[in-house]
Amino acid sequence: MTKEQKEFLDAEGRVVIKACPGSGKTYTVAHKLLSYVDNWKEYHSGVAVLSFTNVASNEIYEKAQSIHGSFGKLGYPHFIGTVDSFINEFIVLRYGHLCTVGKVRPRIMLSNNGKIPYNFWRSECRKRRCVDNIEQFYYGVDGKFYKEKKLVICDKGKAKLLPCQQYKKKLWAKGIVFQNETALFAYKLLKKYPEVASAIVERFPIIIIDEVQDTSINQMAVFDLLSESGMKSMFLVGDPDQSIYEWRNANPECMLQKLEDPNWKTIELTGNFRSSQNICNVTSFFSASLHGNGSNSAIGDWKDEKEKPVLLLTKEKSEDEIINYFLDKCGKMGIEILPKNVAVLTRGRIYSDTAIAGLWKSKEIELFAKAAYEWKYGSRKKAYQEASKASYSMIFNEDIDESVMNQQIRERINENTWKDYVIDILINIPDIEIAIGEWVKSFSSVFETICDKHAYGISSDKNLKATFKIKRNDKNTPNFKQISLRKFFEKRVADRYTRSSIHGVKGESYDAVLIYVKSTAGNTITPNLLMEGCPDQELMRLAYVAMTRPKRLLMLAIPDTEGIESCGRFPKKLWNYELLE
């Protein structure tokens, strides 16, 4: 381990760890966890290790297992999971009754279920299209009211509250909390009842938050209250340059503020075990932290790789020609073309003709379609969860948190017969290789048949034909209904090589990476963005994440653009310019 990693292992108190790409962050967090668990003597308090996604949480657990063969299953009193699951399970669902009318346990919902009518919306609410997405409205810890990260500005006349605020108040009074506001609910609860914060700190005296750059302002406010309530140690681990989930309310400022806060100790992991020094040198120009004024130090097996990154300028060449050029380069460098070694990355979907805005006309049909894909190509556990959630909504007309749904299933019906029913749906689900339009029609018939077979009646509030429906037309892709369902969900293909969206490879490493920039305009990664964009905007951070995946070869394919040589971010001494004509 490096001196910096050892400093992290020895640290206690309030500590923020800024970890550059390839710094062995997951490995170090796993070691930190093991350093506690191996010597843990408390029976009813434990260590909580949290991350932003289940994938990231599982990676820490698997890394700990690989380090410590006898690690086994990490259970009570410790906890590994997501930030959301921690807030839901240990704060909102456990203590939320203290803040509800009638002291009832809160219900965490994903969206409005239609059972509480919009009985006081004004005409302007409908004009603004605010009626059908109340879950997108939320309060911040600053007390201001937002919709999709934008401050709600609307004339309320003589009323004290806007109609949407009145409706939100009505929901909270009934104990209904949407998933995107559970952190605020938890924050208000902890502020009102500091003894609850003390109880949670006693339960988890040590908390490690990985990928902290992806937490929201409301989530960080919750952990600030906990850290101020007598917690022994809290560790915030991440890299603000790799914050690529702002569309889900992630805010890298939460971490940046901690890096400047004198009450928090900062440790930097600056050694890059993954990439060559040549790759480290060019990626520094796209880092808001480094500003091109220096680079991280390559300290891994490929630190001395001589091949410089390639800037491939293309002129009306096909996608296949560009990819084959990259694969030929890999062959010349002795890189074996395998999915674990070679990756082609794009912004967004790997099939551009499946980007259909407003494709799904209901959440239920989208969930069933996701379940079909997961059943064939992904996680069967996830397939079951998605199908169960959609079925529950169709039968009981409720869209609620999974843990609450499972409790309701146990109370209302037999859990085993429900499992048989959901599995029956998955076994008989139509083939996802057929066209999406045909798949939706086929599934509608399958679902109705299986509901009848298991004697589950579809809710009278759910019109089957209207619910199991997709968009009718799309002017940009008129033949989209003929594309197979599989392609609409495929974010990653591992055949001869890996082909994936950039989001899909965060945290991964490859010998060689091609970043294929297709567009010259629009809200995406473009040549002009790479030449002139501010490093602290999310699209630039997305490009940075992609550029820091390779060990030996980084190739960036972009349309030939005037002025690229003189823009400052692509110096010829650091890049090999190659023209594909």
Side-chain angles (χ1 to χ4, degrees):
M1 301 188 80
T2 66
K3 182 180 178 181
E4 296 166 340
Q5 289 174 316
K6 290 177 181 176
E7 185 182 1
F8 172 27
L9 286 186
D10 294 336
E12 295 292 348
R14 296 180 187 177
V15 186
V16 55
I17 297 94
K18 183 176 180 295
C20 80
S23 62
K25 173 178 64 67
T26 303
Y27 174 82
T28 313
V29 169
H31 263 291
K32 185 69 175 176
L33 169 62
L34 290 171
S35 72
Y36 288 121
V37 173
D38 281 347
N39 302 294
W40 200 258
K41 293 183 173 65
E42 301 294 329
Y43 292 104
H44 301 296
S45 66
V47 180
V49 181
L50 313 177
S51 195
F52 184 65
T53 63
N54 286 315
V55 171
S57 300
N58 291 337
E59 283 177 358
I60 296 169
Y61 178 71
E62 288 166 5
K63 183 64 71 174
Q65 283 188 312
S66 69
I67 295 168
H68 195 326
S70 61
F71 183 54
K73 185 177 180 181
L74 186 74
Y76 184 89
H78 308 294
F79 178 82
I80 294 182
T82 64
V83 168
D84 277 335
S85 63
F86 179 86
I87 290 173
N88 290 355
E89 181 176 344
F90 295 103
I91 306 178
V92 176
L93 294 177
R94 192 160 300 190
Y95 297 103
H97 63 279
L98 297 172
C99 291
T100 61
V101 175
K103 302 298 182 184
V104 297
R105 189 188 196 198
R107 286 196 295 161
I108 299 174
M109 302 181 65
L110 303 177
S111 64
N112 178 56
N113 65 4
K115 289 194 172 181
I116 303 175
Y118 299 94
N119 57 1
F120 48 72
W121 290 95
R122 300 186 307 203
S123 60
E124 56 263 44
C125 302
R126 301 186 185 280
K127 290 177 183 176
R128 289 171 178 262
R129 298 182 178 178
C130 294
V131 174
D132 296 324
N133 50 12
I134 187 65
E135 65 273 9
Q136 295 174 3
F137 291 86
Y138 62 94
Y139 282 98
V141 291
D142 56 6
K144 295 178 181 177
F145 199 55
Y146 296 88
K147 179 188 177 186
E148 296 180 316
K149 296 178 66 174
K150 294 181 181 177
L151 195 65
V152 175
I153 300 174
C154 188
D155 179 25
K156 59 186 177 184
K158 295 180 181 179
K160 291 182 179 180
L161 296 174
L162 294 168
C164 44
Q165 291 172 318
Q166 294 176 47
Y167 191 75
K168 184 67 69 175
K169 184 178 179 181
K170 188 175 181 180
L171 289 172
W172 275 42
K174 289 181 175 288
I176 295 173
V177 184
F178 292 122
Q179 181 58 63
N180 68 348
E181 58 189 358
T182 54
L184 177 69
F185 187 95
Y187 173 79
K188 286 178 172 287
L189 175 66
L190 297 179
K191 286 286 283 186
K192 187 174 182 179
Y193 298 100
E195 62 270 28
V196 171
S198 298
I200 294 166
V201 166
E202 186 174 344
R203 175 69 180 83
F204 293 106
I206 296 167
I207 293 181
I208 304 170
I209 306 177
D210 187 31
E211 304 289 0
V212 74
Q213 74 276 355
D214 292 326
T215 54
S216 69
I217 291 174
N218 288 0
Q219 288 170 337
M220 185 56 69
V222 170
F223 290 104
D224 281 340
L225 287 179
L226 294 179
S227 72
E228 294 162 4
S229 299
M231 183 165 288
K232 179 183 175 183
S233 291
M234 181 176 286
F235 302 93
L236 308 179
V237 188
D239 180 6
D241 286 333
Q242 296 187 70
S243 180
I244 57 174
Y245 292 101
E246 282 194 65
W247 48 279
R248 292 201 295 211
N249 285 337
N251 193 319
E253 274 298 316
C254 295
M255 184 176 183
L256 291 170
Q257 289 171 3
K258 293 293 185 290
L259 291 169
E260 300 296 327
D261 189 336
N263 296 311
W264 287 76
K265 179 181 179 180
T266 296
I267 297 173
E268 291 197 48
L269 305 183
T270 60
N272 188 325
F273 288 95
R274 177 188 299 143
S275 302
S276 70
Q277 190 61 56
N278 281 331
I279 292 175
C280 290
N281 291 341
V282 301
T283 55
S284 66
F285 288 86
F286 302 88
S287 160
S289 301
L290 299 172
H291 298 292
N293 294 325
S295 61
N296 296 120
S297 300
I299 57 176
D301 294 340
W302 294 104
K303 64 181 187 296
D304 297 322
E305 169 63 60
K306 294 181 180 178
E307 188 71 36
K308 291 195 294 185
V310 175
L311 184 64
L312 183 63
L313 302 174
T314 62
K315 286 192 174 181
E316 298 181 359
K317 289 295 181 180
S318 71
E319 185 173 295
D320 287 342
E321 288 174 303
I322 292 167
I323 292 175
N324 286 334
Y325 186 92
F326 166 64
L327 297 178
D328 287 343
K329 184 78 172 179
C330 292
K332 291 173 183 176
M333 290 178 64
I335 298 172
E336 190 176 3
I337 311 299
L338 292 171
K340 66 178 182 178
N341 297 337
V342 177
V344 176
L345 308 181
T346 55
R347 160 79 167 102
R349 293 176 175 270
I350 61 174
Y351 304 111
S352 56
D353 57 354
T354 62
I356 310 298
L359 173 64
W360 306 101
K361 291 303 179 183
S362 75
K363 191 165 288 185
E364 290 86 358
I365 189 59
E366 183 178 7
L367 285 171
F368 278 124
K370 285 180 181 177
Y373 178 81
E374 290 292 339
W375 186 254
K376 181 73 179 288
Y377 287 109
S379 160
R380 292 205 160 184
K381 178 181 178 182
K382 190 172 182 180
Y384 178 89
Q385 291 170 336
E386 303 284 38
S388 183
K389 197 184 304 179
S391 297
Y392 187 87
S393 179
M394 289 298 297
I395 293 168
F396 297 105
N397 192 30
E398 290 183 355
D399 183 10
I400 54 179
D401 174 75
E402 188 178 340
S403 60
V404 178
M405 179 188 76
N406 291 335
Q407 180 183 342
Q408 291 292 316
I409 288 171
R410 287 191 290 270
E411 293 175 358
R412 290 177 169 180
I413 51 184
N414 184 287
E415 189 174 13
N416 289 327
T417 58
W418 178 263
K419 287 179 180 177
D420 291 341
Y421 157 71
V422 175
I423 291 171
D424 204 1
I425 291 174
L426 293 169
I427 290 171
N428 290 282
I429 212 157
D431 187 355
I432 62 171
E433 298 298 336
I434 66 175
I436 187 172
E438 184 60 32
W439 186 92
V440 171
K441 290 180 183 177
S442 298
F443 178 73
S444 180
S445 175
V446 166
F447 181 75
E448 194 168 18
T449 300
I450 292 176
C451 282
D452 289 342
K453 175 182 174 182
H454 291 266
Y456 285 122
I458 298 170
S459 169
S460 59
D461 295 315
K462 296 290 185 183
N463 180 290
L464 200 63
K465 189 174 181 180
T467 304
F468 290 175
K469 188 177 179 182
I470 59 172
K471 187 176 184 178
R472 293 180 66 180
N473 302 298
D474 187 85
K475 63 180 181 180
N476 296 321
T477 313
N479 297 321
F480 76 93
K481 287 187 179 181
Q482 278 69 57
I483 300 171
S484 73
L485 177 71
R486 171 178 59 82
K487 289 190 173 183
F488 284 87
F489 290 100
E490 209 157 47
K491 295 180 180 178
R492 183 186 181 108
V493 179
D495 190 2
R496 188 181 172 201
Y497 54 86
T498 292
R499 179 162 182 169
S500 174
S501 66
I502 298 171
H503 282 94
V505 297
K506 189 170 182 286
E508 296 185 2
S509 301
Y510 297 89
D511 289 335
V513 167
L514 167 66
I515 304 168
Y516 179 26
V517 177
K518 303 177 183 180
S519 304
T520 57
N523 185 30
T524 187
I525 297 174
T526 64
N528 283 336
L529 176 93
L530 295 173
M531 290 162 58
E532 302 170 3
C534 295
D536 60 357
Q537 61 179 296
E538 188 172 29
L539 281 173
M540 283 291 284
R541 292 196 294 269
L542 193 63
Y544 178 73
V545 166
M547 291 182 187
T548 54
R549 297 309 96 198
K551 303 173 186 176
R552 300 179 59 193
L553 173 64
L554 166 62
M555 183 177 289
L556 177 62
I558 64 174
D560 193 3
T561 305
E562 186 177 348
I564 197 163
E565 293 181 29
S566 58
C567 75
R569 286 187 177 155
F570 295 95
K572 280 199 164 183
K573 65 179 181 179
L574 299 180
W575 290 84
N576 279 332
Y577 277 65
E578 298 181 13
L579 185 63
L580 184 59
E581 296 186 282

